[in-house]
Amino acid sequence: MELPTTSKAGLEISLAGRDDGGVARIHAHELRHFDDLVATVWGQDYLDLLFRAYDAMLHRPAAELAYPQLLRLFDADRSVLFPSYYKYVMQGAPAGSVGDRWRMSFSTGTRILPDGVADETDPILFVRFDKGNDHVARQPLTVGSLLELRAIGCEMGPLARSLARLPAAEAVVEERLRSRELLSAIYDPELTTYSVGAHVAAKALGQEDLAAMLDAGFKVASLALNLTGTSFSRLRPADGFVREMGRQRQRAFGVRRDRGYAYATLLFHMRGLATDFVGEHAIAATLARAGLRPIEELYAAARRHFEAKRKPELIDVRLRETRERLAEVGLAKLGRPDFDRMAITTPASSTPGPLVMTGEDLAEFHVGEPALDAAQTAFLVDCYSQLRTETRQALRAGRGMDFGGSDVVY
């Protein structure tokens, strides 16, 4: 985790709640990304792809033999956010506000394969934003957008702690300023990748309160990121969502285990079950409406999924040991959430966590128990650097692409 604008002392001060919480919010945001990588079903599956690509790269008798794994990982990376072709923001697109909201609608499309054919079995869920007669943007609802929603939600925890140290009158003013700043970002056309999950939660639930909107999205995204294949096969379409997006490609979203689709479907199943706060009762009733197992069974299935990752089939000993460790870390962090707690004000987990590097003093340290030691982290950094170089070669050879990687994802 790189924090380029702070020092170790500055981070410690912020984490202790002795400043405005700005650095602690950045730390909470990035730590959520780490936790969602190691402690969700989606994240553990992604780590499998990543480590198989590293293993193929380090142990191939000829460089070209690693290309299939490298390109599989490349395509998986594009699915996290999708390349810029699938998202657009209209030139001069107008910003929105609480008093002058965007209009939102859903549509579907299909991924374009390397040979230029549209693959009807691999659909994409789009969210379209309009303001009056002006078109604003089109944004895919992807895993990446769910990850960003959860990371933004985690920033609210340090903010709440920093406000608690202020006199009541000052805290009210500061909270309004921070809320205005966040709402401005949520209604910025260029930032829909980060805000689309919150907008979908607001539309599905009829929610206008910012904190409640982020809390609901955070909790439902947790479910969507931890569904296993069996759950996707059981997931029922939500009538309200079907009316919004149409019946086209509904089955294909389930077959492809599209987590953005699952997120939106669960939120629309929640209509009428939650108002200001999403708690245990609303989550349980939503799962029942959606045809899914109870909460305990969903997370027990996720734990079994993690257990299968503890013995990876990798040639490289260092990779195998590191991958086993990340499976163990994921199991330690995975737990059935307490949905009766306000998720966005709950302190982000810091144990075990990634190596932190601060920019002002170039210090490297861990906050709490380390997930990986410094040598393992350095090894993975070297693997990633080599991966970028060899993936570009694979793209040149296999896809005819010759660029610096600037359009891999937006």
Side-chain angles (χ1 to χ4, degrees), residues 166-204:
L166 299 175
E170 290 183 35
V172 170
V173 174
E174 186 67 18
E175 183 177 16
R176 288 176 179 172
L177 289 173
R178 296 295 182 185
S179 295
R180 188 179 304 164
E181 177 185 324
L182 183 53
L183 282 168
S184 176
I186 284 178
Y187 282 101
D188 184 336
E190 296 291 343
L191 298 179
T192 52
T193 297
Y194 301 87
S195 66
V196 64
H199 286 294
V200 172
K203 180 177 180 65

Side-chain angles (χ1 to χ4, degrees), residues 113-340:
L113 299 177
D115 62 3
V117 175
D119 184 1
E120 286 291 334
T121 69
D122 198 355
I124 303 171
L125 177 59
F126 293 110
V127 179
R128 173 183 169 124
F129 297 102
D130 297 279
K131 187 176 180 184
N133 294 324
D134 295 323
H135 186 31
V136 176
R138 184 184 76 178
Q139 170 65 52
L141 184 57
T142 64
V143 163
S145 56
L146 302 187
L147 299 178
E148 292 299 347
L149 166 70
R150 283 166 62 78
I152 291 170
C154 280
E155 293 183 35
M156 302 292 280
L159 174 60
R161 292 193 293 277
S162 68
L163 293 175
R165 72 183 181 86
L166 299 175
E170 290 183 35
V172 170
V173 174
E174 186 67 18
E175 183 177 16
R176 288 176 179 172
L177 289 173
R178 296 295 182 185
S179 295
R180 188 179 304 164
E181 177 185 324
L182 183 53
L183 282 168
S184 176
I186 284 178
Y187 282 101
D188 184 336
E190 296 291 343
L191 298 179
T192 52
T193 297
Y194 301 87
S195 66
V196 64
H199 286 294
V200 172
K203 180 177 180 65
L205 303 180
Q207 182 56 259
E208 295 185 2
D209 179 76
L210 177 62
M213 179 196 317
L214 289 172
D215 181 66
F218 186 100
K219 290 170 177 174
V220 175
S222 175
L223 296 172
L225 291 168
N226 279 300
L227 295 180
T228 58
T230 301
S231 293
F232 275 101
S233 66
R234 296 175 59 90
L235 183 63
R236 295 175 189 155
D239 290 341
F241 188 35
V242 170
R243 286 194 296 271
E244 292 276 353
M245 67 171 287
R247 296 190 178 278
Q248 188 181 21
R249 306 185 176 109
Q250 287 274 336
R251 184 175 181 277
F253 279 116
V255 171
R256 284 290 183 174
R257 303 183 184 181
D258 188 292
R259 297 185 186 276
Y261 167 79
Y263 170 79
T265 297
L266 289 170
L267 280 168
F268 275 86
H269 275 303
M270 192 178 283
R271 275 188 167 179
L273 296 174
T275 52
D276 293 338
F277 180 75
V278 171
E280 290 278 342
H281 174 75
I283 293 290
T286 296
L287 294 176
R289 282 184 178 182
L292 300 179
R293 298 292 189 188
I295 301 168
E296 290 79 4
E297 293 186 32
L298 283 184
Y299 283 91
R303 180 164 291 276
R304 291 192 296 272
H305 192 82
F306 279 44
E307 292 281 356
K309 313 291 185 183
R310 300 175 77 173
K311 296 296 180 184
E313 296 180 357
L314 299 169
I315 299 172
D316 190 279
V317 174
R318 294 168 298 174
L319 284 176
R320 188 164 62 248
E321 291 174 349
T322 304
R323 181 68 187 94
E324 289 171 354
R325 171 60 181 163
L326 290 175
E328 295 290 344
V329 170
L331 282 165
K333 286 179 173 287
L334 176 69
R336 178 221 190 278
D338 179 358
F339 290 106
D340 277 338

Side-chain angles (χ1 to χ4, degrees), residues 356-370:
V356 178
M357 183 177 74
T358 49
E360 289 182 7
D361 53 6
L362 301 180
E364 293 185 352
F365 57 97
H366 286 92
V367 177
E369 178 189 347

